[in-house]
Short mmCIF file of all heavy atoms in Angstrom, two decimals:
data_model
loop_
_atom_site.label_atom_id
_atom_site.label_comp_id
_atom_site.label_asym_id
_atom_site.label_seq_id
_atom_site.Cartn_x
_atom_site.Cartn_y
_atom_site.Cartn_z
N VAL P 15 80.32 102.13 205.55
CA VAL P 15 80.74 100.84 205.03
C VAL P 15 81.13 99.80 206.14
O VAL P 15 80.79 98.60 206.09
CB VAL P 15 82.01 101.08 204.03
CG1 VAL P 15 82.61 99.68 203.68
CG2 VAL P 15 81.60 101.78 202.81
N ALA P 16 81.80 100.44 207.09
CA ALA P 16 82.28 99.48 208.26
C ALA P 16 80.95 99.00 208.98
O ALA P 16 80.93 97.84 209.43
CB ALA P 16 83.21 100.25 209.29
N ASN P 17 80.01 99.90 209.24
CA ASN P 17 78.79 99.46 209.96
C ASN P 17 77.94 98.45 209.17
O ASN P 17 77.10 97.79 209.78
CB ASN P 17 77.96 100.68 210.36
CG ASN P 17 78.66 101.58 211.38
OD1 ASN P 17 79.55 101.13 212.17
ND2 ASN P 17 78.43 102.92 211.35
N ALA P 18 78.18 98.52 207.84
CA ALA P 18 77.33 97.65 206.99
C ALA P 18 78.08 96.39 206.55
O ALA P 18 77.78 95.81 205.56
CB ALA P 18 76.85 98.38 205.72
N ALA P 19 79.08 96.03 207.35
CA ALA P 19 79.85 94.85 206.95
C ALA P 19 79.02 93.54 206.88
O ALA P 19 78.04 93.40 207.77
CB ALA P 19 81.04 94.66 207.94
N GLU P 20 79.27 92.73 205.95
CA GLU P 20 78.45 91.62 205.62
C GLU P 20 78.69 90.60 206.81
O GLU P 20 79.90 90.39 207.16
CB GLU P 20 78.84 91.00 204.29
CG GLU P 20 78.01 89.94 203.78
CD GLU P 20 78.41 89.46 202.38
OE1 GLU P 20 79.53 89.35 202.00
OE2 GLU P 20 77.40 89.18 201.63
N ASN P 21 77.69 89.94 207.22
CA ASN P 21 77.77 88.88 208.16
C ASN P 21 78.39 87.69 207.51
O ASN P 21 77.65 87.06 206.52
CB ASN P 21 76.49 88.47 208.73
CG ASN P 21 75.93 89.63 209.75
OD1 ASN P 21 76.69 90.34 210.29
ND2 ASN P 21 74.60 89.82 209.67
N ASP P 22 79.66 87.31 207.78
CA ASP P 22 80.32 86.15 207.10
C ASP P 22 80.68 84.95 207.97
O ASP P 22 81.09 85.24 209.08
CB ASP P 22 81.61 86.83 206.51
CG ASP P 22 82.11 86.08 205.25
OD1 ASP P 22 81.29 85.09 204.82
OD2 ASP P 22 83.07 86.36 204.62
N GLY P 23 80.47 83.82 207.54
CA GLY P 23 80.82 82.68 208.27
C GLY P 23 82.28 82.40 208.19
O GLY P 23 83.10 83.07 207.47
N VAL P 24 82.74 81.42 208.84
CA VAL P 24 84.10 81.03 208.90
C VAL P 24 84.42 79.78 208.13
O VAL P 24 85.59 79.47 207.90
CB VAL P 24 84.65 80.97 210.38
CG1 VAL P 24 84.53 82.22 211.03
CG2 VAL P 24 83.81 79.90 211.11
N GLU P 25 83.44 78.95 207.88
CA GLU P 25 83.67 77.63 207.24
C GLU P 25 83.86 77.92 205.65
O GLU P 25 82.96 78.46 205.06
CB GLU P 25 82.56 76.62 207.51
CG GLU P 25 82.30 76.29 208.90
CD GLU P 25 81.22 75.43 209.11
OE1 GLU P 25 80.59 74.94 208.10
OE2 GLU P 25 80.81 75.21 210.22
N LYS P 26 84.92 77.46 205.18
CA LYS P 26 85.21 77.63 203.74
C LYS P 26 84.74 76.26 202.89
O LYS P 26 85.00 75.26 203.47
CB LYS P 26 86.66 77.81 203.43
CG LYS P 26 87.09 79.22 203.92
CD LYS P 26 88.58 79.62 203.42
CE LYS P 26 88.90 80.97 203.85
NZ LYS P 26 90.29 81.24 203.30
N ILE P 27 84.06 76.60 201.85
CA ILE P 27 83.59 75.38 201.10
C ILE P 27 84.50 75.47 199.75
O ILE P 27 84.70 76.45 199.16
CB ILE P 27 82.10 75.62 200.82
CG1 ILE P 27 81.62 74.38 199.92
CG2 ILE P 27 81.84 76.90 199.98
CD1 ILE P 27 80.12 74.39 199.75
N HIS P 28 84.91 74.17 199.46
CA HIS P 28 85.90 74.04 198.24
C HIS P 28 85.17 73.48 197.12
O HIS P 28 85.75 73.31 195.98
CB HIS P 28 87.07 73.34 198.76
CG HIS P 28 87.83 73.92 199.81
ND1 HIS P 28 88.59 75.11 199.67
CD2 HIS P 28 87.88 73.57 201.15
CE1 HIS P 28 89.08 75.49 200.88
NE2 HIS P 28 88.73 74.48 201.73
N SER P 29 84.01 72.80 197.29
CA SER P 29 83.29 72.05 196.15
C SER P 29 81.83 72.02 196.55
O SER P 29 81.43 71.70 197.68
CB SER P 29 83.88 70.77 195.94
OG SER P 29 83.27 70.06 194.95
N ILE P 30 80.97 72.21 195.55
CA ILE P 30 79.57 71.99 195.73
C ILE P 30 79.28 70.46 195.44
O ILE P 30 78.78 70.11 194.33
CB ILE P 30 78.64 72.80 194.83
CG1 ILE P 30 78.93 74.31 195.14
CG2 ILE P 30 77.21 72.61 195.11
CD1 ILE P 30 78.28 75.30 194.23
N ASN P 31 79.64 69.60 196.47
CA ASN P 31 79.52 68.18 196.13
C ASN P 31 78.38 67.67 196.77
O ASN P 31 78.20 66.89 197.75
CB ASN P 31 80.89 67.53 196.83
CG ASN P 31 80.88 66.05 196.47
OD1 ASN P 31 80.36 65.61 195.46
ND2 ASN P 31 81.54 65.23 197.29
N GLY P 32 77.22 68.03 196.18
CA GLY P 32 75.94 67.65 196.56
C GLY P 32 74.83 68.54 196.31
O GLY P 32 75.04 69.51 195.43
N SER P 33 73.60 68.49 196.73
CA SER P 33 72.52 69.18 196.43
C SER P 33 72.44 70.56 197.15
O SER P 33 73.09 70.62 198.29
CB SER P 33 71.19 68.43 196.60
OG SER P 33 71.14 67.32 195.90
N ILE P 34 71.69 71.50 196.62
CA ILE P 34 71.48 72.78 197.36
C ILE P 34 69.90 72.66 197.81
O ILE P 34 68.99 72.37 196.94
CB ILE P 34 71.57 73.98 196.41
CG1 ILE P 34 73.12 74.04 196.10
CG2 ILE P 34 71.14 75.17 197.22
CD1 ILE P 34 73.38 75.16 195.03
N GLN P 35 69.71 72.76 199.12
CA GLN P 35 68.38 72.63 199.64
C GLN P 35 67.79 73.79 200.33
O GLN P 35 68.41 74.46 201.18
CB GLN P 35 68.45 71.41 200.67
CG GLN P 35 67.12 71.05 201.25
CD GLN P 35 66.30 70.22 200.28
OE1 GLN P 35 66.88 69.31 199.64
NE2 GLN P 35 65.06 70.45 200.09
N PHE P 36 66.65 74.31 199.82
CA PHE P 36 65.88 75.39 200.41
C PHE P 36 64.82 74.78 201.30
O PHE P 36 64.06 73.93 200.73
CB PHE P 36 65.23 76.34 199.48
CG PHE P 36 66.22 77.36 198.82
CD1 PHE P 36 67.33 77.05 198.08
CD2 PHE P 36 65.90 78.62 199.00
CE1 PHE P 36 68.14 77.97 197.68
CE2 PHE P 36 66.72 79.61 198.46
CZ PHE P 36 67.88 79.30 197.73
N THR P 37 64.68 75.02 202.64
CA THR P 37 63.70 74.50 203.46
C THR P 37 62.89 75.55 204.18
O THR P 37 63.59 76.23 204.98
CB THR P 37 64.38 73.58 204.54
OG1 THR P 37 65.14 72.58 203.86
CG2 THR P 37 63.39 72.82 205.40
N ASN P 38 61.69 75.71 203.82
CA ASN P 38 60.83 76.72 204.37
C ASN P 38 61.38 78.06 204.48
O ASN P 38 61.30 78.77 205.46
CB ASN P 38 60.46 76.25 205.83
CG ASN P 38 59.67 74.98 205.87
OD1 ASN P 38 58.89 74.78 204.95
ND2 ASN P 38 59.92 74.13 206.80
N VAL P 39 62.06 78.52 203.42
CA VAL P 39 62.76 79.85 203.42
C VAL P 39 61.76 80.94 203.22
O VAL P 39 60.90 80.88 202.32
CB VAL P 39 63.79 79.79 202.23
CG1 VAL P 39 64.36 81.23 202.15
CG2 VAL P 39 64.92 78.85 202.57
#
């Protein structure tokens, strides 16, 4: 479980105030 820890960012988002954009994913 420890070795499979999720890669997590540090920036917290409090609202989806805009569009969600997929670019060449």
